[in-house]
Amino acid sequence: MVLNPVISKLAGKLVVLASASPRRQEILRNAGLRFEVVPSWFKETLDKGLFKAPHEYAVETAKQKALEVARRMPFKHLKTPDIVIGADTIVAVNNMILEKPVDKQDAYRMLSSLSGKEHSVFTGVAIVLCHDKDNQEVDYQMMAFYEETKVKFADLSEDMLWEYINSGEPMDKAGGYGIQALGGMLVEYVHGDFLNVVGFPLNHFCKQLDFIYNHSSSFAVEKKGSAHPLPNGSLGTSILDQHGLQKSYEAEKHRSPDSSSPKLTQHIQNTSTNSPAHKVKRTSYESGVGSRSRVSNSSKHNDGESCRITPLNRRQETEQSGTENQPQTQDLKRICELMDGFKASKALFTASRFCVFDLLHNKPGLDAAQVAEEIKASVKGTECLLEACVSLGLLKIKDKAHPKSLFENTELATSFLRSEAPFSLHGYIQHCSETLWPLYSHLESAVKEGVSQHQRVKRQKELCQDSVCSSQELKLRFMNGMHSFAKITASAVATAFDLSRFKTACDLGGCTGAMAYELVKAHPGMSVTVFDLPAVVEMREHFLDHNADNKVSFVAGDFLEDELPKADLYILARVLHDLTDEKLHILLSKIAQTASPGCGLLLSEIFLDEDRGGPSRGLLQALSLSEGKQRSASEYKLLLERHGFITAHIRHTGHLLDVMLSVKA
Ligand SMILES: C[S@@+](CC[C@H](N)C(=O)[O-])C[C@H]1O[C@@H](n2cnc3c(N)ncnc32)[C@H](O)[C@@H]1O
């Protein structure tokens, strides 16, 4: 793709975003970057007084976040990333740094200090390149930069301030506002990169990548194992122009504690005690991580960790003796990751089932025994579960100096795993656990027989007299699953294209109406009919959004048999992949008969790569062997053309679903 030649340089590399911020993730995904999210455990507690200017604090925090993840992953995740991206956004007014408010009063203090004034939003970004070396060490190189955007707030009345604070939006945002949502109403003007205010300066980031990959001989960016030989010490210094835009680059080769950046070394030593700052020997991670004090205070935790890495250490000893080589280590790690994948899923399902993330949201800082009492489970089992969740980045330890491990949610859990979070995946996780998990546990039979194992799972449940769920409960569970997934994806689908010319839409298989509500929000002139099976429509009251009641209506029917409502735009979101070719043609021909020329068809699915080599999410979903199949964008395009719909636009959103807009010829 011509637009993102730099992003495409990262294809095939293990890119890690050391941030749980959904906004950063969305910006990078929309740019087409594929990456894993490993939230940093680095606490944003650097002494602000040490920094001459606010942006220095943001850059240093970004560096520490990225380095913490880069150093942790080879041990905790058993893989070395190629690139780790860290970022920190702060708001500065009158040379004072504002981070995230801790409570409503703090939000009030921040927002009133911004009222009627211009302030600066700084995002510091650090890019850490990791290089596995033959002797089990990892070398790190770092580039860091920042971007400044000026924002002016209107004069805010007390009523406005409190209405905004009571919306709950300020709480997880630097400076106490989110410009991309309600907070946008407070802003008079923005000078500079808008995305920087949202949380990530995409344009500057791409320029820095371009520098690393296309113009610098100082960065070892070739394939692992063929890195340039690297000189010792610093590779460069940061040169800032008076607008705060970093014209040159700051690149540090992190090889020894006497690195040329005294401040960096000082902070690394604050957090990582006595290990060399940027050259980590895998077998010595235990004594070098930031959580060292907690490890030594909690012998159980320590034991658990030792057990887990012992087999790998043995393997490394063999490798160091020269009988194995580096690529095999990587392969082993990849295989371990695949073998252990189900354990991680099941830990997530179980914690979610016990509502651990709701509990720790309401009562942060409980220890394992307290959690066990609340969820009515054994202390030993709960402790294992909580520690596993910490290792997966879902929970964190509240006070590392405390003799007991006190648990609290990470940002990731707060954003996606609480059942009341606006983008909660709780319902979908339960759907995965209760519906999909049993199906996939019969995968062998599914592959042999080539059909879905729904019937087998049902029979088995009946035999075990396990079917305590009524059909109503099952239906509600399914709808909860669809609803929580759709709430996450609907906004990207609804805004992928300009749909303002369509005044009426019909969402076929629209389930709970999650997409319909998002569409009328994004396109105020539009009204939407949700068309779904009677059994689904009769449950709609559980999911109604009363803010848009008059724009969204529900019609019960079977889209393969009944007459379809008339509309300017038809929506098929996650419907076609579940249909046989025969049913798909029946549905498309019914839409074609009802639609007038110029009508639109918005299709949303995972589009497989044209060579069917990915993405894994689509190919793994196909293993449930539903009646339908997963297709590429050009396969869908051809199917639609057969029914007179000409594809106008295709968008690989880089989000969970891709989108295609076609128009009836
Ligand atoms: C995988 S869900 C997708 C739901 C929703 N479009 C979304 O994106 O979240 C498929 C939906 O199609 C509906 N559906 C399946 N067969 C149908 C039919 N013959 N007539 C109407 N709706 C149907 C199901 O009830 C379900 O709500």
Side-chain angles (χ1 to χ4, degrees):
M1 186 170 155
V2 183
L3 250 180
N4 63 6
V6 193
I7 296 279
S8 63
K9 290 254 178 192
L10 300 181
K13 295 191 189 303
L14 177 52
V15 179
V16 169
L17 178 64
S19 162
S21 155
R23 298 168 289 281
R24 278 189 195 121
Q25 292 169 27
E26 192 175 353
I27 291 170
L28 287 169
R29 284 212 181 91
N30 284 343
L33 187 67
R34 293 204 169 177
F35 55 90
E36 277 184 28
V37 175
V38 178
S40 180
W41 294 351
F42 177 75
K43 289 201 169 172
E44 295 168 18
T45 51
L46 296 176
D47 180 354
K48 297 186 184 73
L50 286 175
F51 298 91
K52 281 201 294 285
H55 69 261
E56 290 182 6
Y57 169 82
V59 168
E60 191 58 36
T61 304
K63 284 176 177 179
Q64 298 298 333
K65 286 182 179 176
L67 265 176
E68 187 280 320
V69 169
R71 301 181 70 217
R72 174 169 25 112
M73 283 192 66
F75 304 93
K76 298 270 174 179
H77 299 236
L78 304 185
K79 59 189 173 188
T80 303
D82 294 292
I83 293 192
V84 180
I85 304 159
D88 186 57
T89 301
I90 54 163
V91 164
V93 62
N94 303 334
N95 231 16
M96 227 171 57
I97 294 177
L98 309 180
E99 290 182 292
K100 294 171 192 158
V102 291
D103 55 25
K104 286 187 175 180
Q105 281 306 329
D106 201 25
Y108 175 81
R109 184 185 59 78
M110 285 186 185
L111 290 165
S112 43
S113 75
L114 299 178
S115 174
K117 286 199 208 107
E118 188 182 80
H119 62 267
S120 291
V121 179
F122 295 102
T123 302
V125 178
I127 304 170
V128 177
L129 307 180
C130 311
H131 309 280
D132 259 337
K133 297 195 0 166
D134 290 343
N135 56 359
Q136 299 312 309
E137 286 175 355
V138 183
D139 264 346
Y140 302 101
Q141 282 182 293
M142 174 146 31
M143 167 181 267
F145 66 91
Y146 74 93
E147 181 74 34
E148 176 181 10
T149 305
K150 304 259 193 207
V151 179
K152 168 140 192 274
F153 266 27
D155 286 322
L156 308 178
S157 67
E158 287 289 293
D159 283 353
M160 258 171 104
L161 268 175
W162 279 109
E163 196 178 329
Y164 183 55
I165 292 166
N166 288 329
S167 74
E169 191 175 283
M171 295 322 292
D172 61 339
K173 314 221 167 36
Y177 73 97
I179 196 165
Q180 69 285 359
L182 293 177
M185 289 189 271
L186 315 178
V187 171
E188 224 166 72
Y189 66 69
V190 175
H191 286 165
D193 181 350
F194 179 83
L195 289 183
N196 185 47
V197 187
V198 180
F200 197 81
L202 184 63
N203 179 273
H204 199 158
F205 174 69
C206 290
K207 284 181 183 146
Q208 297 290 345
L209 282 188
D210 180 51
F211 176 80
I212 295 175
Y213 283 97
N214 298 327
H215 304 290
S216 168
S217 59
S218 307
F219 284 90
V221 292
E222 261 88 73
K223 248 178 84 202
K224 271 184 189 158
S226 62
H228 296 304
L230 297 160
N232 277 330
S234 171
L235 290 178
T237 50
S238 100
I239 303 167
L240 309 174
D241 70 13
Q242 74 261 42
H243 305 297
L245 296 172
Q246 194 155 348
K247 290 283 177 161
S248 182
Y249 66 93
E250 183 178 357
E252 293 166 14
K253 172 83 176 30
H254 298 284
R255 293 181 65 95
S256 64
D258 59 342
S259 154
S260 68
S261 165
K263 199 175 352 154
L264 183 67
T265 306
Q266 176 192 339
H267 295 310
I268 291 281
Q269 287 176 343
N270 279 346
T271 56
S272 59
T273 62
N274 55 0
S275 83
H278 310 298
K279 180 174 184 177
V280 181
K281 195 152 183 128
R282 287 150 189 265
T283 48
S284 66
Y285 181 72
E286 298 292 327
S287 62
V289 279
S291 58
R292 182 171 188 257
S293 59
R294 190 175 65 80
V295 169
S296 55
N297 280 335
S298 160
S299 58
K300 274 212 177 94
H301 183 92
N302 203 1
D303 288 350
E305 287 301 314
S306 307
C307 288
R308 194 162 70 77
I309 65 168
T310 300
L312 188 65
N313 289 349
R314 282 209 202 102
R315 171 83 178 214
Q316 283 167 348
E317 277 160 24
T318 327
E319 286 171 1
Q320 278 165 349
S321 69
T323 56
E324 304 258 358
N325 58 28
Q326 192 68 14
Q328 281 163 329
T329 310
Q330 294 299 326
D331 293 346
L332 176 64
K333 279 193 236 154
R334 179 83 190 109
I335 295 293
C336 285
E337 202 178 279
L338 293 177
M339 288 189 301
D340 285 348
F342 79 97
K343 298 176 193 166
S345 302
K346 199 64 187 167
L348 169 63
F349 296 167
T350 307
S352 183
R353 174 83 191 192
F354 280 124
C355 295
V356 166
F357 306 107
D358 286 337
L359 174 65
L360 290 175
H361 181 71
N362 296 329
K363 297 180 183 176
L366 298 184
D367 66 24
Q370 290 167 319
V371 174
E373 193 181 333
E374 296 267 359
I375 66 172
K376 304 195 179 11
S378 69
V379 176
K380 184 177 176 204
T382 305
E383 187 171 42
C384 289
L385 181 64
L386 296 175
E387 286 181 354
C389 287
V390 171
S391 76
L392 295 173
L394 307 178
L395 295 179
K396 58 185 177 184
I397 301 295
K398 191 166 181 215
D399 175 5
K400 289 186 177 151
H402 196 280
K404 279 186 180 171
S405 292
L406 306 179
F407 297 91
E408 66 180 354
N409 287 344
T410 57
E411 256 191 71
L412 194 66
T414 304
S415 305
F416 296 114
L417 304 180
R418 281 187 304 125
S419 53
E420 296 301 323
F423 293 115
S424 174
L425 273 168
H426 184 80
Y428 190 69
I429 290 169
Q430 291 315 305
H431 170 72
C432 290
S433 172
E434 306 297 326
T435 307
L436 301 184
W437 176 272
L439 277 185
Y440 279 78
S441 65
H442 291 292
L443 186 54
E444 206 178 306
S445 310
V447 171
K448 270 193 195 148
E449 297 161 18
V451 292
S452 160
Q453 297 298 298
H454 269 112
Q455 287 308 325
R456 189 185 298 265
V457 170
K458 207 169 146 213
R459 274 198 308 275
Q460 207 172 39
K461 284 199 167 178
E462 282 162 5
L463 273 177
C464 305
Q465 295 182 324
D466 196 17
S467 56
V468 280
C469 275
S470 68
S471 66
Q472 287 297 89
E473 283 172 311
L474 288 178
K475 218 186 318 166
L476 202 55
R477 188 202 289 155
F478 169 78
M479 290 179 73
N480 266 322
M482 295 306 105
H483 189 71
S484 79
F485 191 88
K487 290 257 289 184
I488 299 252
T489 51
S491 164
V493 175
T495 57
F497 308 115
D498 178 7
L499 302 176
S500 53
R501 70 197 158 98
F502 302 112
K503 300 299 170 212
T504 55
C506 175
D507 188 2
L508 296 164
C511 204
T512 64
M515 165 66 81
Y517 291 122
E518 202 58 45
L519 273 168
V520 299
K521 210 189 310 160
H523 309 284
M526 189 186 274
S527 60
V528 184
T529 306
V530 178
F531 187 91
D532 210 300
L533 294 168
V536 169
V537 169
E538 75 185 23
M539 309 281 279
R540 68 184 179 282
E541 69 272 14
H542 293 275
F543 304 93
L544 290 181
D545 176 346
H546 295 294
N547 293 327
D549 264 358
N550 55 346
K551 298 264 191 80
V552 175
S553 56
F554 287 78
V555 171
D558 183 331
F559 54 46
L560 299 174
E561 295 185 354
D562 298 327
E563 195 180 322
L564 303 183
K566 270 263 178 213
D568 304 336
L569 174 71
Y570 288 90
I571 294 143
L572 288 170
R574 297 198 299 138
V575 165
L576 294 191
H577 75 266
D578 256 344
L579 302 184
T580 59
D581 280 347
E582 193 195 346
K583 287 183 183 170
L584 186 142
H585 285 298
I586 295 174
L587 175 57
L588 291 182
S589 53
K590 278 175 75 75
I591 300 174
Q593 279 160 21
T594 319
S596 316
C599 268
L601 180 59
L602 187 71
L603 173 71
S604 169
E605 291 281 354
I606 300 171
F607 295 156
L608 290 190
D609 297 345
E610 293 303 330
D611 63 1
R612 297 186 74 82
S616 286
R617 284 194 64 252
L619 294 162
L620 292 173
Q621 183 168 310
L623 282 175
S624 68
L625 288 172
S626 71
E627 287 186 334
K629 63 177 172 208
Q630 300 288 329
R631 300 175 176 86
S632 67
S634 56
E635 284 175 298
Y636 280 120
K637 187 166 170 273
L638 271 178
L639 284 171
L640 295 181
E641 270 169 18
R642 281 180 57 186
H643 293 275
F645 285 94
I646 308 304
T647 294
H649 305 282
I650 296 174
R651 219 157 147 212
H652 291 269
T653 62
H655 206 268
L656 298 175
L657 293 175
D658 302 308
V659 205
M660 178 182 285
L661 179 64
S662 308
V663 176
K664 175 91 186 296

